[in-house]
Amino acid sequence: ELTAVEATGYITLIQRIRAAQSTCLGIDHVYYFYNEDTTHHFHLWMVPRYEWMRQFGSSVESLRPSLVHARNAMNSEGNVAYVICVVELAFAKCRAVLSRCGECRNRIKKRRQRARKE
């Protein structure tokens, strides 16, 4: 469980990452999925909505058909190379965002150290 200070820092970090997605990558809409596997960690997925996905609808139920279509019809070498470039760009931008959040990084590091000891 996050403390109030950690939760505030985490939400601030998510907002910064989302702003970088919008500004740097032109991503206007994102689905957020949260999953808590155990009491000491969780997952947050930020799944962007691209223009080509509209053909499958705009609800959360349209996400699976969109991803299946991407796997089956958009898996060419050119598309894969493009995606790798975009991921590298996103990683660089997110790293810049994370580097401005030193307090969050220090808390994450301490939590990992505590988890290893348990």
Short mmCIF file of all heavy atoms in Angstrom, two decimals, residues 24-63:
data_model
loop_
_atom_site.label_atom_id
_atom_site.label_comp_id
_atom_site.label_asym_id
_atom_site.label_seq_id
_atom_site.Cartn_x
_atom_site.Cartn_y
_atom_site.Cartn_z
N CYS A 24 4.75 14.89 -26.85
CA CYS A 24 5.85 14.36 -27.66
C CYS A 24 5.41 13.34 -28.70
O CYS A 24 6.02 13.22 -29.75
CB CYS A 24 6.90 13.72 -26.76
SG CYS A 24 7.54 14.86 -25.54
N LEU A 25 4.36 12.59 -28.39
CA LEU A 25 3.94 11.50 -29.28
C LEU A 25 2.59 11.74 -29.93
O LEU A 25 2.16 10.96 -30.76
CB LEU A 25 3.91 10.17 -28.50
CG LEU A 25 5.23 9.77 -27.84
CD1 LEU A 25 5.04 8.54 -26.98
CD2 LEU A 25 6.30 9.54 -28.90
N GLY A 26 1.90 12.81 -29.54
CA GLY A 26 0.61 13.13 -30.15
C GLY A 26 -0.50 12.17 -29.77
O GLY A 26 -1.47 12.03 -30.50
N ILE A 27 -0.39 11.52 -28.63
CA ILE A 27 -1.40 10.57 -28.18
C ILE A 27 -2.48 11.34 -27.43
O ILE A 27 -2.21 11.91 -26.38
CB ILE A 27 -0.78 9.47 -27.30
CG1 ILE A 27 0.23 8.67 -28.14
CG2 ILE A 27 -1.85 8.57 -26.72
CD1 ILE A 27 1.06 7.71 -27.32
N ASP A 28 -3.70 11.33 -27.97
CA ASP A 28 -4.78 12.11 -27.38
C ASP A 28 -5.60 11.34 -26.34
O ASP A 28 -6.12 11.93 -25.41
CB ASP A 28 -5.73 12.61 -28.47
CG ASP A 28 -5.07 13.63 -29.38
OD1 ASP A 28 -4.21 14.39 -28.89
OD2 ASP A 28 -5.41 13.66 -30.57
N HIS A 29 -5.75 10.03 -26.54
CA HIS A 29 -6.61 9.24 -25.64
C HIS A 29 -5.86 8.01 -25.16
O HIS A 29 -5.14 7.36 -25.93
CB HIS A 29 -7.89 8.81 -26.35
CG HIS A 29 -8.67 9.97 -26.88
ND1 HIS A 29 -9.44 10.77 -26.08
CD2 HIS A 29 -8.78 10.46 -28.14
CE1 HIS A 29 -10.00 11.72 -26.81
NE2 HIS A 29 -9.61 11.55 -28.07
N VAL A 30 -6.05 7.67 -23.90
CA VAL A 30 -5.35 6.54 -23.29
C VAL A 30 -6.33 5.79 -22.39
O VAL A 30 -7.10 6.40 -21.66
CB VAL A 30 -4.13 7.01 -22.46
CG1 VAL A 30 -3.50 5.86 -21.71
CG2 VAL A 30 -3.10 7.69 -23.35
N TYR A 31 -6.26 4.46 -22.45
CA TYR A 31 -6.95 3.62 -21.47
C TYR A 31 -5.97 3.30 -20.36
O TYR A 31 -4.80 2.99 -20.60
CB TYR A 31 -7.41 2.29 -22.09
CG TYR A 31 -8.58 2.41 -23.01
CD1 TYR A 31 -8.50 2.00 -24.33
CD2 TYR A 31 -9.79 2.91 -22.56
CE1 TYR A 31 -9.58 2.08 -25.18
CE2 TYR A 31 -10.88 3.00 -23.41
CZ TYR A 31 -10.76 2.59 -24.71
OH TYR A 31 -11.84 2.68 -25.55
N TYR A 32 -6.44 3.34 -19.12
CA TYR A 32 -5.64 2.98 -17.97
C TYR A 32 -6.20 1.69 -17.38
O TYR A 32 -7.40 1.58 -17.15
CB TYR A 32 -5.71 4.06 -16.88
CG TYR A 32 -5.08 5.36 -17.28
CD1 TYR A 32 -5.81 6.32 -17.97
CD2 TYR A 32 -3.76 5.64 -16.96
CE1 TYR A 32 -5.24 7.53 -18.33
CE2 TYR A 32 -3.18 6.86 -17.31
CZ TYR A 32 -3.92 7.79 -17.99
OH TYR A 32 -3.35 8.99 -18.35
N PHE A 33 -5.32 0.73 -17.13
CA PHE A 33 -5.70 -0.51 -16.48
C PHE A 33 -4.80 -0.70 -15.27
O PHE A 33 -3.59 -0.59 -15.36
CB PHE A 33 -5.55 -1.70 -17.43
CG PHE A 33 -6.45 -1.63 -18.62
CD1 PHE A 33 -5.98 -1.12 -19.81
CD2 PHE A 33 -7.76 -2.06 -18.54
CE1 PHE A 33 -6.81 -1.04 -20.92
CE2 PHE A 33 -8.60 -1.98 -19.64
CZ PHE A 33 -8.12 -1.47 -20.84
N TYR A 34 -5.41 -1.01 -14.14
CA TYR A 34 -4.70 -1.17 -12.88
C TYR A 34 -4.95 -2.57 -12.37
O TYR A 34 -6.09 -3.03 -12.35
CB TYR A 34 -5.24 -0.11 -11.90
CG TYR A 34 -4.75 -0.24 -10.49
CD1 TYR A 34 -3.58 0.39 -10.08
CD2 TYR A 34 -5.48 -0.97 -9.55
CE1 TYR A 34 -3.14 0.29 -8.78
CE2 TYR A 34 -5.04 -1.08 -8.25
CZ TYR A 34 -3.86 -0.45 -7.87
OH TYR A 34 -3.43 -0.55 -6.58
N ASN A 35 -3.89 -3.26 -11.96
CA ASN A 35 -4.04 -4.60 -11.44
C ASN A 35 -3.13 -4.77 -10.23
O ASN A 35 -1.94 -4.48 -10.30
CB ASN A 35 -3.67 -5.63 -12.51
CG ASN A 35 -3.90 -7.04 -12.04
OD1 ASN A 35 -4.72 -7.30 -11.18
ND2 ASN A 35 -3.15 -7.98 -12.61
N GLU A 36 -3.69 -5.21 -9.14
CA GLU A 36 -2.93 -5.44 -7.92
C GLU A 36 -2.80 -6.95 -7.73
O GLU A 36 -3.75 -7.63 -7.35
CB GLU A 36 -3.67 -4.80 -6.75
CG GLU A 36 -2.84 -4.61 -5.54
CD GLU A 36 -3.55 -3.77 -4.49
OE1 GLU A 36 -4.24 -2.80 -4.84
OE2 GLU A 36 -3.42 -4.12 -3.31
N ASP A 37 -1.61 -7.49 -8.01
CA ASP A 37 -1.39 -8.93 -7.91
C ASP A 37 -1.19 -9.40 -6.48
O ASP A 37 -1.61 -10.49 -6.11
CB ASP A 37 -0.16 -9.34 -8.73
CG ASP A 37 -0.43 -9.29 -10.22
OD1 ASP A 37 -1.60 -9.34 -10.61
OD2 ASP A 37 0.53 -9.21 -10.99
N THR A 38 -0.49 -8.61 -5.70
CA THR A 38 -0.22 -8.96 -4.30
C THR A 38 -0.37 -7.69 -3.47
O THR A 38 -0.63 -6.62 -4.00
CB THR A 38 1.21 -9.52 -4.12
OG1 THR A 38 2.14 -8.48 -4.40
CG2 THR A 38 1.47 -10.70 -5.04
N THR A 39 -0.12 -7.82 -2.20
CA THR A 39 -0.25 -6.64 -1.34
C THR A 39 0.93 -5.70 -1.46
O THR A 39 0.86 -4.57 -1.01
CB THR A 39 -0.39 -7.06 0.14
OG1 THR A 39 0.76 -7.83 0.51
CG2 THR A 39 -1.67 -7.83 0.37
N HIS A 40 2.03 -6.13 -2.07
CA HIS A 40 3.21 -5.27 -2.12
C HIS A 40 3.60 -4.78 -3.51
O HIS A 40 4.63 -4.15 -3.68
CB HIS A 40 4.40 -5.95 -1.43
CG HIS A 40 4.84 -7.22 -2.10
ND1 HIS A 40 4.26 -8.43 -1.80
CD2 HIS A 40 5.77 -7.46 -3.03
CE1 HIS A 40 4.82 -9.36 -2.54
NE2 HIS A 40 5.74 -8.80 -3.28
N HIS A 41 2.80 -5.05 -4.53
CA HIS A 41 3.06 -4.42 -5.83
C HIS A 41 1.82 -4.46 -6.72
O HIS A 41 0.88 -5.19 -6.45
CB HIS A 41 4.28 -5.04 -6.53
CG HIS A 41 3.98 -6.30 -7.30
ND1 HIS A 41 3.92 -7.53 -6.72
CD2 HIS A 41 3.72 -6.48 -8.62
CE1 HIS A 41 3.66 -8.43 -7.66
NE2 HIS A 41 3.52 -7.82 -8.81
N PHE A 42 1.85 -3.63 -7.74
CA PHE A 42 0.72 -3.55 -8.66
C PHE A 42 1.24 -3.18 -10.05
O PHE A 42 2.41 -2.86 -10.22
CB PHE A 42 -0.31 -2.52 -8.18
CG PHE A 42 0.23 -1.12 -8.08
CD1 PHE A 42 0.18 -0.26 -9.16
CD2 PHE A 42 0.80 -0.69 -6.90
CE1 PHE A 42 0.69 1.01 -9.07
CE2 PHE A 42 1.31 0.60 -6.80
CZ PHE A 42 1.26 1.45 -7.89
N HIS A 43 0.35 -3.23 -11.01
CA HIS A 43 0.68 -2.88 -12.40
C HIS A 43 -0.28 -1.80 -12.87
O HIS A 43 -1.48 -1.85 -12.56
CB HIS A 43 0.51 -4.10 -13.32
CG HIS A 43 1.35 -5.26 -12.91
ND1 HIS A 43 2.63 -5.45 -13.38
CD2 HIS A 43 1.10 -6.30 -12.07
CE1 HIS A 43 3.12 -6.56 -12.86
NE2 HIS A 43 2.21 -7.09 -12.06
N LEU A 44 0.23 -0.86 -13.61
CA LEU A 44 -0.60 0.14 -14.27
C LEU A 44 -0.23 0.11 -15.75
O LEU A 44 0.93 0.29 -16.10
CB LEU A 44 -0.37 1.55 -13.71
CG LEU A 44 -1.14 2.64 -14.46
CD1 LEU A 44 -2.63 2.55 -14.14
CD2 LEU A 44 -0.61 4.01 -14.11
N TRP A 45 -1.21 -0.15 -16.60
CA TRP A 45 -0.99 -0.12 -18.04
C TRP A 45 -1.64 1.13 -18.59
O TRP A 45 -2.78 1.46 -18.27
CB TRP A 45 -1.62 -1.35 -18.71
CG TRP A 45 -0.91 -2.62 -18.42
CD1 TRP A 45 0.18 -3.12 -19.05
CD2 TRP A 45 -1.25 -3.57 -17.41
NE1 TRP A 45 0.54 -4.31 -18.50
CE2 TRP A 45 -0.32 -4.62 -17.48
CE3 TRP A 45 -2.24 -3.62 -16.43
CZ2 TRP A 45 -0.35 -5.71 -16.65
CZ3 TRP A 45 -2.27 -4.71 -15.58
CH2 TRP A 45 -1.35 -5.74 -15.69
N MET A 46 -0.90 1.81 -19.45
CA MET A 46 -1.41 2.99 -20.15
C MET A 46 -1.44 2.61 -21.63
O MET A 46 -0.39 2.53 -22.27
CB MET A 46 -0.51 4.19 -19.89
CG MET A 46 -0.45 4.58 -18.43
SD MET A 46 0.81 5.82 -18.06
CE MET A 46 0.03 7.28 -18.73
N VAL A 47 -2.62 2.33 -22.16
CA VAL A 47 -2.76 1.85 -23.54
C VAL A 47 -3.31 2.97 -24.40
O VAL A 47 -4.46 3.39 -24.23
CB VAL A 47 -3.70 0.62 -23.58
CG1 VAL A 47 -3.80 0.09 -25.01
CG2 VAL A 47 -3.23 -0.47 -22.63
N PRO A 48 -2.49 3.48 -25.33
CA PRO A 48 -2.95 4.59 -26.17
C PRO A 48 -4.00 4.16 -27.18
O PRO A 48 -4.03 3.01 -27.62
CB PRO A 48 -1.67 5.04 -26.89
CG PRO A 48 -0.78 3.86 -26.87
CD PRO A 48 -1.14 3.06 -25.63
N ARG A 49 -4.86 5.12 -27.54
CA ARG A 49 -5.85 4.92 -28.61
C ARG A 49 -5.34 5.65 -29.84
O ARG A 49 -5.17 6.85 -29.82
CB ARG A 49 -7.21 5.52 -28.22
CG ARG A 49 -7.94 4.83 -27.14
CD ARG A 49 -8.72 3.64 -27.53
NE ARG A 49 -9.50 3.75 -28.75
CZ ARG A 49 -10.19 2.75 -29.25
NH1 ARG A 49 -10.21 1.61 -28.65
NH2 ARG A 49 -10.87 2.91 -30.34
N TYR A 50 -5.09 4.91 -30.89
CA TYR A 50 -4.65 5.50 -32.15
C TYR A 50 -5.83 5.66 -33.09
O TYR A 50 -6.84 4.97 -32.97
CB TYR A 50 -3.56 4.63 -32.79
CG TYR A 50 -2.30 4.57 -31.97
CD1 TYR A 50 -2.02 3.47 -31.17
CD2 TYR A 50 -1.40 5.64 -31.97
CE1 TYR A 50 -0.86 3.43 -30.40
CE2 TYR A 50 -0.24 5.60 -31.21
CZ TYR A 50 0.02 4.49 -30.43
OH TYR A 50 1.15 4.46 -29.67
N GLU A 51 -5.67 6.52 -34.05
CA GLU A 51 -6.75 6.83 -35.00
C GLU A 51 -7.24 5.56 -35.72
O GLU A 51 -8.43 5.37 -35.90
CB GLU A 51 -6.26 7.89 -36.00
CG GLU A 51 -7.35 8.43 -36.89
CD GLU A 51 -8.42 9.19 -36.12
OE1 GLU A 51 -8.10 9.86 -35.13
OE2 GLU A 51 -9.60 9.09 -36.51
N TRP A 52 -6.32 4.69 -36.12
CA TRP A 52 -6.72 3.49 -36.86
C TRP A 52 -7.60 2.55 -36.02
O TRP A 52 -8.30 1.71 -36.57
CB TRP A 52 -5.49 2.73 -37.39
CG TRP A 52 -4.58 2.18 -36.33
CD1 TRP A 52 -3.44 2.78 -35.83
CD2 TRP A 52 -4.71 0.94 -35.62
NE1 TRP A 52 -2.88 2.00 -34.87
CE2 TRP A 52 -3.64 0.85 -34.72
CE3 TRP A 52 -5.64 -0.09 -35.66
CZ2 TRP A 52 -3.46 -0.23 -33.88
CZ3 TRP A 52 -5.46 -1.17 -34.82
CH2 TRP A 52 -4.38 -1.23 -33.94
N MET A 53 -7.60 2.72 -34.71
CA MET A 53 -8.38 1.85 -33.83
C MET A 53 -9.87 2.18 -33.86
O MET A 53 -10.70 1.38 -33.42
CB MET A 53 -7.85 1.93 -32.40
CG MET A 53 -6.42 1.43 -32.27
SD MET A 53 -5.69 1.88 -30.69
CE MET A 53 -5.92 0.36 -29.78
N ARG A 54 -10.23 3.34 -34.39
CA ARG A 54 -11.64 3.77 -34.42
C ARG A 54 -12.53 2.79 -35.19
O ARG A 54 -13.70 2.66 -34.89
CB ARG A 54 -11.78 5.16 -35.03
CG ARG A 54 -11.25 6.24 -34.14
CD ARG A 54 -11.60 7.61 -34.73
NE ARG A 54 -10.91 8.67 -34.04
CZ ARG A 54 -11.35 9.23 -32.93
NH1 ARG A 54 -12.46 8.82 -32.39
NH2 ARG A 54 -10.65 10.19 -32.35
N GLN A 55 -11.97 2.09 -36.16
CA GLN A 55 -12.77 1.15 -36.95
C GLN A 55 -13.33 0.02 -36.08
O GLN A 55 -14.27 -0.66 -36.47
CB GLN A 55 -11.93 0.58 -38.09
CG GLN A 55 -10.75 -0.26 -37.65
CD GLN A 55 -9.89 -0.71 -38.79
OE1 GLN A 55 -10.39 -1.28 -39.76
NE2 GLN A 55 -8.59 -0.46 -38.71
N PHE A 56 -12.77 -0.17 -34.90
CA PHE A 56 -13.24 -1.22 -33.99
C PHE A 56 -14.15 -0.68 -32.89
O PHE A 56 -14.61 -1.44 -32.05
CB PHE A 56 -12.03 -1.93 -33.37
CG PHE A 56 -11.15 -2.58 -34.39
CD1 PHE A 56 -10.00 -1.93 -34.83
CD2 PHE A 56 -11.50 -3.79 -34.96
CE1 PHE A 56 -9.20 -2.51 -35.80
CE2 PHE A 56 -10.70 -4.37 -35.93
CZ PHE A 56 -9.55 -3.73 -36.36
N GLY A 57 -14.38 0.61 -32.90
CA GLY A 57 -15.23 1.24 -31.89
C GLY A 57 -14.41 2.12 -30.96
O GLY A 57 -13.21 2.27 -31.12
N SER A 58 -15.09 2.69 -29.97
CA SER A 58 -14.39 3.59 -29.06
C SER A 58 -14.53 3.18 -27.60
O SER A 58 -14.06 3.87 -26.71
CB SER A 58 -14.90 5.02 -29.24
OG SER A 58 -16.29 5.06 -28.98
N SER A 59 -15.16 2.04 -27.36
CA SER A 59 -15.33 1.58 -25.98
C SER A 59 -14.13 0.72 -25.57
O SER A 59 -13.34 0.30 -26.42
CB SER A 59 -16.62 0.78 -25.84
OG SER A 59 -16.48 -0.44 -26.54
N VAL A 60 -14.04 0.44 -24.31
CA VAL A 60 -12.96 -0.41 -23.82
C VAL A 60 -13.05 -1.82 -24.43
O VAL A 60 -12.03 -2.47 -24.64
CB VAL A 60 -12.93 -0.43 -22.27
CG1 VAL A 60 -14.11 -1.20 -21.71
CG2 VAL A 60 -11.61 -0.97 -21.76
N GLU A 61 -14.25 -2.26 -24.77
CA GLU A 61 -14.42 -3.58 -25.39
C GLU A 61 -13.78 -3.66 -26.77
O GLU A 61 -13.50 -4.74 -27.26
CB GLU A 61 -15.91 -3.95 -25.49
CG GLU A 61 -16.56 -4.24 -24.15
CD GLU A 61 -17.07 -2.99 -23.46
OE1 GLU A 61 -17.11 -1.90 -24.09
OE2 GLU A 61 -17.43 -3.09 -22.28
N SER A 62 -13.56 -2.51 -27.40
CA SER A 62 -12.95 -2.51 -28.74
C SER A 62 -11.44 -2.67 -28.69
O SER A 62 -10.79 -2.85 -29.72
CB SER A 62 -13.30 -1.21 -29.47
OG SER A 62 -12.65 -0.11 -28.85
N LEU A 63 -10.87 -2.63 -27.51
CA LEU A 63 -9.41 -2.70 -27.39
C LEU A 63 -8.87 -4.06 -27.83
O LEU A 63 -7.91 -4.12 -28.59
CB LEU A 63 -9.00 -2.39 -25.95
CG LEU A 63 -7.51 -2.19 -25.74
CD1 LEU A 63 -6.96 -1.10 -26.64
CD2 LEU A 63 -7.24 -1.88 -24.29
#
